[in-house]
Amino acid sequence: MSLNTSYQPKEYETSIQEIWQKAGVGKPEKHYQKGQNDGKTTHTILMPPPNLTGPMHAGHSYQHYLMDTLSRYNRQRGKWNLWYPGVDHAGIQLEGVISKLILKGEFDSIIQEKLTGLDFICKEHDKVASIIEFDGETILREDLHTWLKKNHPDLWLELAWSKVNLWRDNQKQQAQVLGDTPDYSRQLFTLDPKAVEMVNLAYIKYWEDNLIYKGAYLVNWSVGLQTALSDVAGEIEYETKVDPFISFYYDLEEINFPGDTVPESTAQILAQTIQETLSTIEVSTVRPETIFGDVAIAVHPKILEKLISEKKFSQQIIDLIESSKLDIYYKIATLNKFKVKLIISGEVDPDFGSGALKITPASDITDYNIWKKYLQNDIPVFPHSIDRSGRLSLSCGDYSGLSVQTARIKIIKDLIENGQVPFTIEPDLENGESELKEFEVLTDQELEKLDYKKQIEYLAQLYPEYKVDWNYSHNVSICERTKTVIEPLISEEFFLSFENKAISTGKNLQQHGLEGVGEVNFYTPDFKDRATNFLENIHDWCISRDVIWGHKMPVWYNLDLNSGKLFFDFNQMESEVEIEGQNHLVANLFKVQVDKPTQPGNWVREEKILDTWFSSSLWPLSTLNYPATQLPVHIDVQEVTTENIQPDSKDCVFVIIHNPQTDQFLIQVNPQDSIHSTKYHLLGRKLKAGENQVAGIFRELEEEAGITSIDPEKLKFVGNYKIIRTQNKNNKELNIELNSQIFYLPNQDYFDSWLDSGNGKQTTKWVERSDLIANLIPAFTDLIESLDGIEKHDLPEIFYTYPTQELTTAKEIFYVWVVRMIVLSKYFTGQIPFESVVITPTVLDETGKKMSKSLGNGLDPVEAISNYSSDSLRLAMMAGMYPNRNMRLGGDIANRAMEKYRNFGNKIWNVARFIELMEEQNPADSEVESKELSDASKWILDKFISLEDSFEKEVLSYELGHIVDDLYNFLWDYFANWYVEYLKTEPSQISFARKLFTQFIKLSHPFLPYETEVLWKEFVGGNDLLVFERYDVNWSRSLQTPSSNNDFENIVSLLQNIRSTRGLFAIDPAGKIKATTTSKKILEYQQFFHLIGKVEIKLSDNSNSAGYLIKIEGHDISLDLLDYIQDPALEIIKTNKQVDNINKQISIIDKTLANPQFIQKAEKEVIEQKNSDLESRKADLGNLNLKLQFLKSNSKV
RNA sequence: GCGCGAUUAGCUCAGUGGUAGAGCACUUCCUUGACGUGGAAGGGGUCAGAAGUUCAACUCUUCUAUCGCGCACCA
């Protein structure tokens, strides 16, 4: 006996983890070397790069366990499995964390060291310095981080990097505790050179495709973070706030009839009407401080109709306004610098407020849209009332510089005092005076000292009669990270267009995305609709941020000529622009490129940083080496001539034909093994008189494949090409130049399908323009495969691992990350980045709340593992693995779940122990290699096969929870509870038991990697690690024999029945019961019955009528219970209950069967089922009645 | 407000158009050999509510309620 009595994970987990890491189990190459796979089928999972900040939480570990389990499973099934790890630089978030650390004084000593002349002045002992002095300048502690960012960005970055490197290590260590096996030899940090290269490449390609532009745009500006936020990234929260909702009048300022199209007399009448009925317009707002930014008043036509009392004029006025023949302007003399225009719009809700809406394009999205629609031509530039610091701008006169809240109070007060605010509709004059409370009247200065709420309360008391709802509650957007207010502002930002057609593909990103989404499988499937819906309504993506941590854009400006740093989109590059009275070619002013510009000039780089998601959306490409910097061979495409094609070469040759009508291409690829036919097809084609290449090919197609639908005369021959290769010439990119367009990206799967469809022979098919190159890829891959001394797997991963298989992700980042990856990968490669998206459950705490750092209700995986084990935590989590559901796993719930699986682990361990023990006790039996399988062994084998079946089925839908249940139930309910007990009576099956159990260890390895690895070594005696073992899916089936008359299931039922009878009669569990049977089969299990049922069976010719009879499927056992019955009266009551219950069931079935509708309409099988149910129910009833009889006849004993 | 998901035993969750399931917890009992991190037998549910479709509804449809998530938002 080498195994301990119980499994102690702590003794093993740490060392196993080290062994795995040392053995490089994450590296697919290792598994390949060991022959676990042949390298042909790949399985790739890209790890969603976690943010650097903070320790690993439950959500991370959940993802990791899932990815690891899937990886292990696929390795076992002989796949070349790559699980690619990485870390995200988390732009804004990390910047926030570093700022906090600076605030706390974490970096004080480094800062002091690096900046000579800087002093920290500490006012109080034991506290961080609150004032910093530098060269006579005084900086407050709270401003230190922004000061550093602004004046010493390099130092700020140095501080950040020092933490980043530390956190990366910590994170890796934590991940290893889980038993993670990603390939750490390949990891990527999103600021690594490889990622930077991809970002630059992407940016330039977008720009060259006319997808990037810079413009005035309404963005969600976080006052706290001083940056634009994404409205889909969860960066914005909504909070209900209470503010005053004030109504006020705009006064008529001007009436114009532009174009003089209205007769003078009519104009006069109309003007008079307007002056009489529209001298003021009432609007309402919670944001009176934005009045300075107003450009218009929008009124619903119905409302205007009502206001103009004379109906004969109202429609005329509306028509004139709408056709721009009448302009009416308003103004509040005390506030507005500019007059605002009256416009009519059905978009205004006529039932809300006064039905008139003030239009402030600089501060509101709907207003902005209305401005764009109606006013952009008239008012190309609109005023901003609020600046980026959240204060009123210079255009606000006396109010400029005030905070929003201060200004709001002041303006409300001024509006009221200037008589711009209407009275409430029915002022309660009678009781008004007496109800007025006494309150202290404050001066303006005193008022200002109060906080915002108090000020409002005061005004509410002071001005009860005005039309102001002082307690109006509404939703306000809040910055998720800093909890400061979000101001919708116009900001100069960079955008990636989803609308512009990309020059290279002829499609816009929205289209690419929609195509991609259509091809991806989503678990659960409803996410396909969500993604589609999202893309259908998508707007351009604001990709720039005003932070310093992240990717800089590869954008340069020539300050000598372009001091204003004007940005140009691709279409403008060839044009000349006039700047400062001079004409310049745009190309001289501005450059998008990776390296520093080489042309003379004072070039400076754009300072804005790319949104973190910009690099994240390129994740599949950057990880898998899309830029392909390390390609060992150079590949080029040449036009084929008689000189450069050689019959014995391994060149791939293809012909391309263009159909201008459909803009499709026909490509015909000839793989290497048919080079002779290639030569024939391309060059030696026997053309008929007057026939060109194209016509020749089509004639052959017609002859060979019966394709007749295309008119060859209309096609254009693009050319014959061959792919040539040379030694690595240090080329940076793999590319094909074809018709002077550069294409990228070979792909493995196309290669496979190509060969499949073409059987290694010539293949011809039509492809869309955008798919042209993707369809040529097989030819490359073929070529690369054939290179001497170069293995496919030495090539950049993207050659053979793309598209990847699963992307596992939490639903929170579905739109912002997953959908974008689909869009952009599709755009770059023509293919989706991953075949399946698996939405993992959200891990909730005990009370059903989402786990979060701020609530502190998270499950700490490291702690959980140290209390239980990694395997337990993994099983507990995977047991809840059903895509897109929630899972409660916190506190006691988590503990209970982990206990369950700790016990499971122990059970497995003890089964192994038992087998070892049996082998020691029965050395002769255990050594016998092949013994005929007994019924019981066949029975357990069948159970195992159905376990395997459901395993394979469930893994396809990622419902791993079922697999965990199935593994648990097989091992415990079947193997341990019955088969192990059986083995005690039949040691001859022990060698089979070992084999089957060994197979179970392998099968369950992805779910209990540590323990199975231990057992593999200590119990199975494997030479190598279990991780490197391939799972033989045919093993179990090869042993299976067509089972007929396997009675073991019945034996189990009989024993269960005996056990419950024991319980029923409250018979001493250890007490032996004598019994007789007429079945010889049962007698074969004499020992088994003795062991499990404590029943001593003898064969008898007649069933013992005095005994208690149990009958199942022709087997009978009569138990002699007379000596054991303790309280027959109680049992009679219980049994009667059962009889009642069965009678109820019988009557239900009877009713159903008596229903003519049922007999008529139900399926035959169902009716048969019902009948057999009825019979078995009746049989049960018979048994129970026998029992009752038996009990009654003995009740007086 | 719109959309999505959930609602099944005390708890955590599976499940299915044709007699309600698991684990934990609970009750009673069992301890000298694989395992007390174990074994046996039990109790416990009008499957959130209502209506509809159906021979038959926990399952399908609609509505309602509650919870959660996502999106948007009203001056």
Side-chain angles (χ1 to χ4, degrees):
Chain A
M1 280 304 275
S2 60
L3 302 177
N4 289 332
T5 51
S6 63
Y7 174 54
Q8 300 297 334
K10 272 184 202 155
E11 284 179 26
Y12 301 102
E13 289 200 345
T14 315
S15 61
I16 294 275
Q17 189 183 306
E18 278 164 15
I19 290 167
W20 281 338
Q21 294 306 326
K22 252 191 203 163
V25 296
K27 278 175 80 76
E29 289 82 358
K30 265 275 183 270
H31 298 262
Y32 179 62
Q33 278 166 20
K34 288 179 182 278
Q36 193 184 21
N37 65 64
D38 57 15
K40 280 197 175 153
T41 324
T42 58
H43 180 266
T44 307
I45 300 180
L46 302 175
M47 183 190 291
N51 290 348
L52 267 171
T53 53
M56 170 159 9
H57 57 66
H60 286 137
S61 39
Y62 197 98
Q63 301 273 340
H64 280 240
Y65 278 134
L66 175 60
M67 287 184 280
D68 189 62
T69 301
L70 289 172
S71 292
R72 286 173 188 269
Y73 165 79
N74 281 290
R75 283 183 201 125
Q76 283 189 325
R77 297 302 184 280
K79 305 265 180 72
W80 169 280
N81 183 81
L82 174 60
W83 176 16
Y84 201 113
V87 181
D88 195 81
H89 66 279
I92 293 173
Q93 204 175 25
L94 185 127
E95 202 156 311
V97 173
I98 296 291
S99 294
K100 257 184 212 159
L101 291 177
I102 293 173
L103 201 67
K104 280 188 192 163
E106 174 102 6
F107 299 111
D108 284 2
S109 53
I110 309 175
I111 295 170
Q112 199 157 16
E113 191 184 309
K114 297 276 174 181
L115 298 178
T116 41
L118 182 141
D119 268 326
F120 288 99
I121 314 287
C122 197
K123 279 186 176 171
E124 285 174 66
H125 208 59
D126 290 342
K127 284 201 174 169
V128 291
S130 53
I131 293 170
I132 295 100
E133 283 193 350
F134 183 65
D135 282 354
E137 188 185 354
T138 303
I139 306 139
L140 290 176
R141 161 66 64 178
E142 62 201 66
D143 296 331
L144 181 59
H145 65 274
T146 40
W147 179 82
L148 275 174
K149 269 195 266 187
K150 206 171 173 187
N151 300 300
H152 301 278
D154 290 343
L155 177 57
W156 192 98
L157 290 172
E158 196 184 323
L159 300 178
W161 275 107
S162 71
K163 284 290 164 192
V164 164
N165 293 326
L166 202 73
W167 288 334
R168 279 185 74 175
D169 280 350
N170 287 346
Q171 209 157 54
K172 192 171 150 187
Q173 273 173 9
Q174 283 185 333
Q176 282 175 6
V177 173
L178 302 176
D180 259 11
T181 53
D183 183 2
Y184 283 118
S185 69
R186 282 173 162 95
Q187 53 181 321
L188 183 71
F189 178 47
T190 50
L191 290 180
D192 283 349
K194 203 163 97 175
V196 172
E197 193 178 346
M198 184 64 223
V199 163
N200 288 335
L201 188 154
Y203 193 99
I204 292 163
K205 187 168 159 64
Y206 295 150
W207 181 77
E208 285 175 349
D209 257 345
N210 201 32
L211 299 181
I212 287 188
Y213 65 93
K214 187 181 183 183
Y217 207 87
L218 198 79
V219 290
N220 295 298
W221 182 261
S222 165
V223 173
L225 293 171
Q226 286 291 298
T227 186
L229 297 180
S230 158
D231 56 354
V232 288
E235 291 174 345
I236 297 174
E237 280 180 354
Y238 298 92
E239 205 174 87
T240 303
K241 285 207 163 184
V242 174
D243 285 305
F245 181 63
I246 183 169
S247 300
F248 59 91
Y249 294 124
Y250 256 106
D251 301 323
L252 183 64
E253 175 77 8
E254 196 179 324
I255 302 167
N256 283 334
F257 291 92
D260 294 331
T261 50
V262 183
E264 182 88 31
S265 53
T266 317
Q268 270 186 2
I269 296 167
L270 290 179
Q272 200 184 339
T273 310
I274 290 164
Q275 270 163 358
E276 281 166 8
T277 57
L278 297 174
S279 67
T280 60
I281 286 194
E282 183 188 328
V283 294
S284 318
T285 182
V286 283
R287 305 209 55 185
E289 69 277 9
T290 62
I291 286 174
F292 306 102
D294 288 354
V295 294
I297 301 169
V299 185
H300 194 275
K302 276 187 192 168
I303 297 298
L304 205 64
E305 250 178 72
K306 269 189 205 166
L307 290 175
I308 305 167
S309 47
E310 290 185 58
K311 280 196 177 162
K312 55 180 174 177
F313 297 124
S314 64
Q315 195 52 48
Q316 196 179 358
I317 290 173
I318 289 169
D319 290 345
L320 286 172
I321 293 176
E322 282 185 333
S323 59
S324 302
K325 288 171 186 163
L326 167 62
D327 293 340
I328 308 175
Y329 293 97
Y330 288 83
K331 194 172 174 178
I332 298 172
T334 52
L335 295 176
N336 295 91
K337 263 188 190 170
F338 310 101
K339 57 197 179 186
V340 304
K341 190 175 176 182
L342 180 73
I343 57 176
I344 294 167
S345 166
E347 287 156 55
V348 180
D349 180 354
D351 300 324
F352 190 90
S354 60
L357 172 61
K358 70 187 204 61
I359 302 300
T360 325
S363 295
D364 185 279
I365 291 166
T366 45
D367 288 11
Y368 178 83
N369 288 334
I370 289 175
W371 166 79
K372 229 178 167 180
K373 192 169 169 186
Y374 297 99
L375 298 157
Q376 198 171 10
N377 292 333
D378 290 358
I379 312 164
V381 179
F382 47 79
H384 288 63
S385 59
I386 294 158
D387 67 18
R388 291 189 167 205
S389 60
R391 290 173 184 280
L392 268 71
S393 70
L394 292 174
S395 56
C396 302
D398 293 346
Y399 302 88
S400 63
L402 296 178
S403 77
V404 164
Q405 290 189 340
T406 313
R408 184 177 298 165
I409 299 288
K410 202 157 185 262
I411 291 168
I412 289 171
K413 204 160 171 277
D414 291 352
L415 282 171
I416 291 173
E417 284 167 7
N418 290 329
Q420 301 288 137
V421 181
F423 289 105
T424 40
I425 299 157
E426 287 175 43
D428 197 351
L429 293 176
E430 280 178 28
N431 303 319
E433 301 235 344
S434 60
E435 295 234 334
L436 267 183
K437 285 174 196 164
E438 288 291 319
F439 63 96
E440 198 185 340
V441 177
L442 303 173
T443 64
D444 282 0
Q445 283 153 341
E446 283 168 334
L447 180 64
E448 273 169 32
K449 281 178 192 164
L450 297 175
D451 69 25
Y452 178 67
K453 270 195 175 172
K454 289 261 167 66
Q455 290 188 36
I456 291 169
E457 278 171 23
Y458 173 78
L459 290 180
Q461 281 180 315
L462 192 62
Y463 304 115
E465 70 274 32
Y466 290 95
K467 197 172 174 185
V468 182
D469 179 353
W470 299 98
N471 290 309
Y472 181 75
S473 67
H474 63 136
N475 286 337
V476 175
S477 43
I478 302 276
C479 173
E480 190 259 336
R481 300 221 171 80
T482 61
K483 308 292 174 197
T484 50
V485 176
I486 285 169
E487 289 291 343
L489 289 178
I490 293 298
S491 166
E492 282 276 290
E493 301 293 341
F494 291 81
F495 286 85
L496 182 63
S497 172
F498 276 69
E499 203 183 324
N500 293 359
K501 270 191 182 176
I503 294 165
S504 71
T505 64
K507 292 176 184 170
N508 62 26
L509 290 183
Q510 185 189 38
Q511 285 171 293
H512 283 295
L514 286 169
E515 277 174 21
V517 163
E519 292 166 36
V520 173
N521 296 313
F522 293 91
Y523 297 89
T524 54
D526 55 303
F527 275 84
K528 183 171 284 211
D529 295 338
R530 293 200 211 178
T532 305
N533 185 40
F534 171 75
L535 281 170
E536 279 167 354
N537 301 310
I538 200 159
H539 44 255
D540 294 348
W541 174 17
C542 173
I543 52 171
S544 55
R545 299 288 139 108
D546 289 333
V547 294
I548 68 169
W549 179 247
H551 293 276
K552 278 194 173 183
M553 296 181 201
V555 172
W556 304 78
Y557 307 97
N558 187 346
L559 283 189
D560 290 343
L561 303 167
N562 181 10
S563 58
K565 295 192 196 175
L566 298 176
F567 183 89
F568 301 92
D569 63 41
F570 185 74
N571 284 342
Q572 293 171 309
M573 280 309 279
E574 297 298 316
S575 55
E576 289 205 334
V577 292
E578 191 186 304
I579 291 179
E580 290 153 10
Q582 283 184 301
N583 284 329
H584 298 282
L585 192 66
V586 165
N588 292 329
L589 310 177
F590 161 72
K591 198 148 195 159
V592 171
Q593 64 174 54
V594 180
D595 300 317
K596 204 171 174 172
T598 47
Q599 285 164 13
N602 183 13
W603 294 93
V604 292
R605 191 166 187 176
E606 169 61 45
E607 281 185 350
K608 280 189 190 269
I609 296 293
L610 287 164
D611 179 10
T612 310
W613 296 106
F614 189 91
S615 60
S616 310
S617 65
L618 302 165
W619 189 240
L621 305 175
S622 47
T623 48
L624 300 179
N625 270 315
Y626 178 82
T629 50
Q630 304 267 308
L631 193 69
V633 288
H634 178 72
I635 291 181
D636 208 348
V637 175
Q638 270 193 1
E639 194 144 1
V640 176
T641 66
T642 34
E643 281 78 42
N644 65 14
I645 186 157
Q646 293 154 8
D648 57 343
S649 83
K650 289 179 171 179
D651 295 341
C652 286
V653 185
F654 53 91
V655 61
I656 301 178
I657 295 160
H658 183 218
N659 181 350
Q661 286 183 318
T662 59
D663 200 27
Q664 279 186 316
F665 290 84
L666 180 115
I667 58 178
Q668 186 179 47
V669 173
N670 299 271
Q672 50 176 0
D673 61 349
S674 57
I675 195 71
H676 290 291
S677 64
T678 301
K679 195 177 179 191
Y680 158 74
H681 274 291
L682 295 182
L683 304 167
R685 194 181 300 279
K686 288 174 194 161
L687 301 177
K688 292 183 176 170
E691 195 175 58
N692 62 15
Q693 284 267 10
V694 182
I697 289 170
F698 276 94
R699 176 170 47 73
E700 283 169 13
L701 281 176
E702 258 181 67
E703 288 163 7
E704 288 168 16
I707 298 172
T708 56
S709 55
I710 303 148
D711 177 7
E713 295 304 321
K714 289 180 183 153
L715 302 176
K716 191 184 153 209
F717 180 60
V718 177
N720 289 322
Y721 295 89
K722 74 166 186 171
I723 299 162
I724 56 155
R725 60 196 155 83
T726 59
Q727 287 308 303
N728 191 354
K729 287 193 288 189
N730 241 351
N731 56 311
K732 276 203 139 185
E733 283 150 3
L734 173 73
N735 61 57
I736 313 163
E737 288 204 22
L738 183 66
N739 291 349
S740 65
Q741 282 221 55
I742 297 175
F743 299 93
Y744 302 87
L745 191 68
N747 175 272
Q748 168 67 10
D749 268 12
Y750 269 96
F751 168 58
D752 288 340
S753 62
W754 197 285
L755 284 191
D756 284 350
S757 60
N759 295 322
K761 289 179 188 165
Q762 164 192 306
T763 314
T764 308
K765 65 174 164 183
W766 284 100
V767 296
E768 300 294 325
R769 177 184 284 272
S770 58
D771 293 335
L772 180 62
I773 274 307
N775 278 282
L776 288 173
I777 298 319
F780 289 103
T781 319
D782 188 14
L783 180 80
I784 291 157
E785 287 253 306
S786 72
L787 293 173
D788 292 337
I790 294 173
E791 289 207 35
K792 181 175 83 174
H793 300 129
D794 291 334
L795 296 168
E797 288 83 350
I798 199 139
F799 281 72
Y800 55 93
T801 60
Y802 186 93
T804 67
Q805 275 58 53
E806 291 97 11
L807 182 85
T808 70
T809 182
K811 51 178 158 266
E812 288 86 355
I813 51 174
F814 180 71
Y815 296 118
V816 73
W817 187 50
V818 179
V819 177
R820 278 179 187 155
M821 277 195 288
I822 294 173
V823 173
L824 298 174
S825 302
K826 183 80 182 165
Y827 158 76
F828 274 99
T829 69
Q831 292 177 71
I832 50 176
F834 26 75
E835 291 164 358
S836 304
V837 171
V838 183
I839 306 293
T840 53
T842 309
V843 184
L844 307 174
D845 74 359
E846 271 178 292
T847 59
K849 281 192 191 112
K850 216 166 133 181
M851 288 183 175
S852 76
K853 223 196 244 175
S854 52
L855 285 176
N857 60 349
L859 171 74
D860 178 7
V862 177
E863 193 191 323
I865 288 168
S866 86
N867 288 341
Y868 295 91
S869 69
S870 173
D871 285 349
S872 306
L873 179 60
R874 177 187 299 240
L875 283 165
M877 286 183 157
M878 290 306 102
M881 178 53 219
Y882 295 90
N884 188 28
R885 290 188 203 179
N886 294 342
M887 179 184 191
R888 287 191 190 194
L889 201 68
D892 281 345
I893 291 173
N895 289 338
R896 268 183 270 150
M898 286 188 287
E899 264 162 36
K900 173 180 174 181
Y901 294 109
R902 178 200 59 195
N903 297 351
F904 178 47
N906 193 55
K907 195 71 183 176
I908 295 174
W909 184 263
N910 274 291
V911 167
R913 228 168 84 82
F914 167 77
I915 291 172
E916 276 197 347
L917 186 78
M918 287 294 286
E919 286 168 340
E920 275 173 29
Q921 288 173 350
N922 305 281
D925 286 318
S926 63
E927 276 163 26
V928 180
E929 244 324 295
S930 59
K931 200 156 227 172
E932 202 182 319
L933 297 188
S934 69
D935 276 357
S937 295
K938 286 177 186 166
W939 173 83
I940 192 73
L941 180 66
D942 284 345
K943 297 285 184 202
F944 184 75
I945 289 168
S946 48
L947 167 67
E948 281 180 319
D949 288 347
S950 74
F951 191 116
E952 300 296 327
K953 193 184 125 218
E954 303 299 352
V955 83
L956 292 177
S957 56
Y958 304 100
E959 299 198 345
L960 302 193
H962 284 302
I963 299 178
V964 173
D965 276 355
D966 292 344
L967 290 170
Y968 187 99
N969 292 334
F970 169 80
L971 194 275
W972 210 307
D973 295 347
Y974 297 130
F975 202 98
N977 284 355
W978 292 103
Y979 191 61
V980 159
E981 294 302 321
Y982 162 81
L983 285 174
K984 291 176 182 170
T985 67
E986 194 50 67
S988 72
Q989 300 293 308
I990 197 70
S991 73
F992 170 72
R994 170 175 274 272
K995 282 188 219 153
L996 183 68
F997 182 65
T998 301
Q999 193 74 357
F1000 175 82
I1001 290 175
K1002 281 194 195 178
L1003 184 68
S1004 55
H1005 172 72
F1007 292 87
L1008 301 94
Y1010 283 108
E1011 185 179 346
T1012 49
E1013 189 69 82
V1014 174
L1015 285 172
W1016 187 252
K1017 183 162 173 266
E1018 309 224 340
F1019 171 75
V1020 179
N1023 291 325
D1024 205 347
L1025 293 169
L1026 176 55
V1027 257
F1028 292 122
E1029 280 290 317
R1030 188 165 176 166
Y1031 188 81
D1032 182 359
V1033 289
N1034 297 317
W1035 178 82
S1036 54
R1037 274 172 212 286
S1038 73
L1039 293 176
Q1040 201 179 22
T1041 48
S1043 59
S1044 59
N1045 296 330
N1046 188 340
D1047 281 317
F1048 195 73
E1049 186 82 44
N1050 294 329
I1051 300 297
V1052 168
S1053 302
L1054 274 173
L1055 275 163
Q1056 282 174 333
N1057 218 314
I1058 291 171
R1059 280 174 168 176
S1060 76
T1061 307
R1062 266 180 188 283
L1064 203 62
F1065 289 83
I1067 296 169
D1068 168 20
K1072 304 253 183 325
I1073 299 175
K1074 286 182 182 168
T1076 58
T1077 179
T1078 59
S1079 161
K1080 283 183 184 170
K1081 190 82 188 177
I1082 285 184
L1083 209 64
E1084 286 175 26
Y1085 292 93
Q1086 204 173 16
Q1087 260 192 293
F1088 193 43
F1089 274 92
H1090 185 79
L1091 182 74
I1092 304 272
K1094 303 274 193 277
V1095 175
E1096 285 174 9
I1097 304 178
K1098 281 180 184 165
L1099 196 63
S1100 146
D1101 290 340
N1102 303 308
S1103 58
N1104 179 3
S1105 57
Y1108 174 65
L1109 189 70
I1110 302 169
K1111 252 187 173 176
I1112 284 170
E1113 298 278 325
H1115 301 300
D1116 67 290
I1117 283 189
S1118 179
L1119 303 176
D1120 189 0
L1121 298 180
L1122 277 181
D1123 298 341
Y1124 299 100
I1125 294 171
Q1126 288 169 355
D1127 188 355
L1130 189 66
E1131 297 319 320
I1132 289 172
I1133 293 169
K1134 279 188 181 176
T1135 313
N1136 273 327
K1137 262 191 188 173
Q1138 288 179 317
V1139 169
D1140 286 351
N1141 192 24
I1142 286 209
N1143 273 327
K1144 256 185 210 166
Q1145 293 180 15
I1146 287 176
S1147 76
I1148 290 170
I1149 301 176
D1150 270 340
K1151 254 188 200 170
T1152 313
L1153 285 172
N1155 184 347
Q1157 299 267 40
F1158 173 75
I1159 301 298
Q1160 208 179 340
K1161 293 185 178 173
E1163 288 169 33
K1164 272 189 183 173
E1165 292 85 24
V1166 176
I1167 298 173
E1168 276 167 28
Q1169 182 65 42
K1170 285 277 175 202
N1171 276 316
S1172 80
D1173 281 355
L1174 187 65
E1175 270 176 43
S1176 79
R1177 232 25 65 73
K1178 281 180 176 167
D1180 290 348
L1181 190 65
N1183 279 341
L1184 284 174
N1185 281 331
L1186 279 176
K1187 189 198 283 181
L1188 267 180
Q1189 238 178 339
F1190 177 77
L1191 285 167
K1192 280 174 186 164
S1193 65
N1194 291 294
S1195 62
K1196 283 161 197 166
V1197 175

